[in-house]
């Protein structure tokens, strides 16, 4: 997100604000692209961006998306650099009507990254604050988990459960030796393959 905001600042567009809900949707799309081995804005089962966000209960009145797949280097920097060279992706990234964003990625055992960055001009969670401030004395992780659980209840989804193995993988600098991992607030809540 920082690289995207740096590019937006260069053209006078306002900084994007983080949305956990958009990040969850982006992460889920990245996981699906990795698991099904496709790179496209249209999921073969769940459709295009607005359809996917609508199913998640998010506002779809003004949305955009950039996707990327890479294996080496700094994938976030590489993604933004390539998006800036593509007229369509550049337009999405710099669109001044977008206010909110979320980035999600999945990492395969072979080191490939699938990135998705979703954008919205409207609050993605109508009627709710897109990001509630952390509770006093609560860690960022606990606060994020609590917000995810509230959103899942609102959408009628089952609660997430913690996985110590998944948490260890998420905080490890290198991908696992086999399989892949991801965590998302949209079904399925945890994807683990070994």
């Amino acid at each position: 997100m920082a690289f995207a905001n740096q590019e937006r600042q260069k053209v006078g567009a306002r900084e994007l604000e983080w949305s956990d809900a958009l990040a969850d949707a982006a992460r889920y799309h990245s996981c699906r692209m990795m698991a099904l081995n496709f790179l496209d804005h249209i999921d073969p089962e769940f459709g295009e961006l607005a359809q996917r966000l609508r199913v998640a209960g998010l506002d779809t009145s003004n949305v955009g998306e950039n996707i990327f797949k890479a294996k080496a280097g700094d994938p976030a920097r590489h993604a933004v650099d390539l998006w800036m060279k593509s007229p369509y992706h550049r337009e999405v990234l710099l669109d001044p009507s977008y206010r909110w964003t979320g980035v999600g990625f999945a990492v395969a055992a072979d080191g490939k990254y699938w990135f998705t960055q979703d954008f919205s001009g409207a609050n993605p969670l109508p009627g709710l604050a897109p990001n509630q401030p952390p509770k006093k004395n609560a860690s960022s992780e606990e606060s994020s988990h609590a917000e995810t659980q509230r959103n899942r209840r609102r959408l009628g989804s089952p609660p997430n459960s913690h996985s110590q193995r998944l948490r260890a993988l998420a905080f490890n600098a290198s991908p696992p030796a086999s399989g892949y991992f991801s965590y998302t607030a949209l079904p399925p809540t945890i994807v683990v393959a070994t």
Side-chain angles (χ1 to χ4, degrees):
M1 184 173 116
F3 295 129
N5 276 332
Q6 288 171 4
E7 296 298 335
R8 290 173 65 87
Q9 185 179 37
K10 291 176 187 177
V11 299
R14 71 175 159 201
E15 281 194 7
L16 296 164
E17 296 183 46
W18 183 258
S19 164
D20 289 336
L22 287 175
D24 287 341
R27 189 168 33 254
Y28 187 65
H29 188 60
S30 292
C31 291
R32 296 267 309 162
M33 288 191 297
M34 180 181 64
L36 300 176
N37 196 27
F38 73 96
L39 182 67
D40 200 316
H41 294 284
I42 300 174
D43 182 291
E45 184 178 353
F46 299 116
E48 52 90 23
L49 174 63
Q51 290 172 299
R52 289 183 273 123
L53 294 179
R54 197 173 304 110
V55 166
L58 305 181
D59 182 278
T60 61
S61 59
N62 178 21
V63 294
E65 178 176 74
N66 283 339
I67 58 175
F68 176 75
K69 178 181 171 183
K71 183 166 180 162
D74 180 351
R77 175 79 263 171
H78 192 197
V80 171
D81 288 346
L82 286 178
W83 290 337
M84 291 301 291
K85 293 176 184 172
S86 160
Y88 168 79
H89 294 97
R90 178 185 172 88
E91 183 179 332
V92 170
L93 185 75
L94 301 179
D95 187 327
S97 72
Y98 294 143
R99 180 175 175 202
W100 303 97
T101 192
V103 179
F105 69 95
V107 183
D110 65 1
K112 286 183 186 156
Y113 292 80
W114 279 260
F115 271 81
T116 303
Q117 184 168 13
D118 289 339
F119 302 86
S120 180
N123 179 348
L125 291 170
L128 296 175
N131 299 301
Q132 296 179 353
K135 294 178 183 176
K136 289 184 179 181
N137 300 322
S139 75
S140 175
E141 184 177 353
E142 291 167 344
S143 177
S144 177
H145 181 71
E147 180 180 354
T148 298
Q149 298 298 61
R150 283 190 298 276
N151 289 336
R152 291 182 66 74
R153 279 192 301 274
R154 183 182 67 81
L155 296 171
S157 299
N160 288 356
S161 60
H162 286 288
S163 163
Q164 291 301 83
R165 178 174 181 263
L166 186 60
R167 187 178 191 284
L169 289 172
F171 288 96
N172 187 344
S174 60
S178 66
Y180 60 89
F181 66 92
S182 180
Y183 179 90
T184 182
L186 297 175
T189 55
I190 298 177
V191 177
V192 178
T194 55

